[in-house]
Amino acid sequence: MKIYLRNILLIVFVTFAFFFPAFGKHIGQLNAIRTVAGSGTPVIVNTPTAVDSIKITAPSLNQRDYSITDNVSLGVDLHYPEFVLGPQHVRVLVTVIKYDESYTSPDSAKVYLNIDYFHHDTINSKILDKYQFNNVYKIIFRIDSVFIDNVYSDTLPKNLFVKAQIQGQRYNKLAPESTINGLNINFLDLDNNSKPDEIEMSWNVNDDAEEYQLEFFHISNYGNNGTIPPDKLSYDFRYNSTIITTSKHFYQIPLIFNQGWVAFRVRPIGVDFDNPSHIVYGKWSTLNNTGTIDQLQVSGGSCKINITAANVQDNKLNWQYNATYAEQGKRKDIVTYYDGTLRDRQKVTRINSDNRAIVGETIYDYAGRKAIIVLPSPVVIDSTN
């Protein structure tokens, strides 16, 4: 009985449901009044060493801020490199001057902050005390007095600090008609061996976008009578395509394809800054879902690339590719190679967050039974050679 074998060219994409993290750019600022270890100047009341300030920029007309929280705190630096005799019972009077986003009409407050630090019993110590408030864009804070064990001192103990902090979320307004330009797609040679290893898709940054949604596909151009020309090769983004979301303006995929074309499109994702839980989608860079490959054109760049016979993935071997996706375009690639009896011989796994591949191998005996399973080993891609 004759058994006819052929190459297995199976690509399996497993795509997780989209995960939309909390959008918005984190904004913040902090500064502290403290004594620098070593030769640092001590913090002395009624001198410039006891005064500091912080400030964040106000939002533009196309921006909206949410959850602006502020605080001034007295705390212990547990990693201070110099020995300080304890225990410490310290009370500090701090003047806090607060400005809104227009930096006018300041409001001031005087607050007492206390710590009780037992050097050998941190569990029962109070090592941080905070004064908290909201919606302040500029803070001037000043130490007015220091009391150690209820006795006045003009110097802040050198292992203590008084810190001010502002933090919040800033959203940009994305118009529904917003789109992306500057699309480009290229081969990448990661190991500098003059052979492409990956495909990189890139686009221009949209300042109002929180993230980008990328959709790409591969389409084979094999035909009954040879290669199908681009003007006869139909595509449809609605079928057999992969969609990921990313905050970057580029995305790389391995060159694990048969002969044909890889094409992509991208659109911005933002929020309605009057209701940040409402996601706003911009327009796709390619509006038509269907057409022929030759019709896929973008201004000033390219959204498609030809996979020629010289760039196909191991056309003399049997292999299977599996891609598992998670949020932010994170991806695990697995390529399994098979012998002529369709027994898996080698498996290569890589996560796209680094350039490290894990390679494992299975060795069979003469009866086709698994005899040795080689422990998977990491292989680092060195792009400097």
Side-chain angles (χ1 to χ4, degrees):
M1 180 178 65
K2 294 183 178 179
I3 299 177
Y4 296 92
L5 301 174
R6 61 181 180 179
N7 289 346
I8 300 173
L9 302 175
L10 174 63
I11 300 178
V12 180
F13 291 99
V14 181
T15 307
F16 288 168
F18 297 127
F19 294 87
F20 290 105
F23 286 142
K25 177 183 178 183
H26 177 76
I27 56 175
Q29 189 67 259
L30 64 86
N31 212 349
I33 299 172
R34 67 172 71 217
T35 301
V36 178
S39 58
T41 303
V43 176
I44 301 175
V45 176
N46 295 323
T47 71
T49 62
V51 183
D52 212 331
S53 65
I54 59 172
K55 174 183 176 181
I56 61 173
T57 58
S60 67
L61 294 177
N62 199 42
Q63 295 175 325
R64 185 74 56 82
D65 290 345
Y66 286 86
S67 303
I68 300 297
T69 60
D70 315 84
N71 68 76
V72 175
S73 60
L74 169 67
V76 179
D77 182 357
L78 297 178
H79 301 285
Y80 195 78
E82 298 180 24
F83 175 76
V84 177
L85 185 65
Q88 292 176 290
H89 305 281
V90 181
R91 180 163 60 104
V92 174
L93 176 62
V94 181
T95 295
V96 182
I97 304 174
K98 301 171 283 186
Y99 295 80
D100 60 17
E101 61 184 277
S102 64
Y103 308 118
T104 58
S105 305
D107 179 30
S108 64
K110 288 184 177 291
V111 294
Y112 280 100
L113 301 173
N114 302 270
I115 64 104
D116 293 290
Y117 178 35
F118 303 99
H119 293 57
H120 302 291
D121 187 10
T122 55
I123 293 178
N124 295 312
S125 295
K126 180 181 180 182
I127 60 174
L128 187 68
D129 192 14
K130 284 186 179 182
Y131 166 57
Q132 296 179 309
F133 43 100
N134 298 305
N135 301 319
V136 169
Y137 282 71
K138 179 181 177 180
I139 302 172
I140 298 175
F141 57 111
R142 181 184 69 240
I143 299 175
D144 290 336
S145 60
V146 178
F147 295 89
I148 302 174
D149 293 328
N150 293 322
V151 177
Y152 175 80
S153 173
D154 63 354
T155 304
L156 182 72
K158 56 185 177 181
N159 67 321
L160 305 188
F161 60 82
V162 174
K163 179 176 67 176
Q165 185 174 20
I166 304 173
Q167 56 186 349
Q169 293 291 117
R170 176 165 294 174
Y171 298 90
N172 292 330
K173 184 176 183 179
L174 180 72
E177 64 273 11
S178 296
T179 188
I180 299 293
N181 53 33
L183 276 66
N184 212 345
I185 184 168
N186 293 296
F187 290 119
L188 293 180
D189 179 12
L190 299 180
D191 52 6
N192 294 325
N193 65 349
S194 301
K195 294 182 180 180
D197 305 297
E198 288 194 344
I199 295 173
E200 181 179 75
M201 298 163 282
S202 61
W203 52 91
N204 287 347
V205 173
N206 185 314
D207 291 333
D208 295 331
E210 303 289 346
E211 288 187 336
Y212 305 94
Q213 195 170 64
L214 168 70
E215 184 173 19
F216 63 93
F217 66 82
H218 169 263
I219 183 170
S220 173
N221 63 0
Y222 285 114
N224 293 331
N225 299 314
T227 301
I228 303 175
D231 60 340
K232 303 294 183 183
L233 189 62
S234 299
Y235 73 87
D236 193 333
F237 272 105
R238 295 172 299 179
Y239 305 108
N240 297 322
S241 62
T242 301
I243 302 178
I244 64 102
T245 58
T246 178
S247 56
K248 300 178 180 178
H249 62 96
F250 62 89
Y251 192 68
Q252 297 168 356
I253 58 176
L255 186 53
I256 310 285
F257 297 105
N258 289 325
Q259 186 173 319
W261 292 84
V262 171
F264 79 102
R265 62 180 181 177
V266 66
R267 65 178 175 180
I269 301 177
V271 296
D272 176 1
F273 67 21
D274 292 324
N275 180 12
S277 63
H278 180 220
I279 298 173
V280 176
Y281 295 92
K283 289 185 177 181
W284 286 110
S285 55
T286 300
L287 297 179
N288 294 329
N289 289 322
T290 62
T292 56
I293 290 296
D294 67 310
Q295 296 172 339
L296 276 173
Q297 303 289 340
V298 292
S299 177
S302 177
C303 63
K304 62 187 177 183
I305 197 166
N306 186 209
I307 311 297
T308 65
N311 296 326
V312 299
Q313 162 66 17
D314 291 327
N315 58 356
K316 294 183 180 180
L317 299 176
N318 300 320
W319 54 270
Q320 181 187 71
Y321 171 58
N322 181 290
T324 304
Y325 289 83
E327 70 278 0
Q328 283 296 310
K330 296 182 178 70
R331 187 185 70 249
K332 181 173 72 173
D333 301 309
I334 302 175
V335 181
T336 306
Y337 294 94
Y338 299 85
D339 61 17
T341 64
L342 299 187
R343 290 178 171 85
D344 60 293
R345 290 285 186 168
Q346 189 178 86
K347 181 177 291 186
V348 182
T349 304
R350 196 192 71 166
I351 298 175
N352 69 336
S353 57
D354 57 32
N355 286 329
R356 191 184 307 271
I358 306 297
V359 181
E361 187 174 0
T362 302
I363 300 174
Y364 297 86
D365 62 18
Y366 288 105
R369 298 169 299 192
K370 290 184 179 181
I372 299 175
I373 298 178
V374 179
L375 185 69
S377 302
V379 177
V380 179
I381 299 175
D382 186 0
S383 59
T384 61
N385 293 332

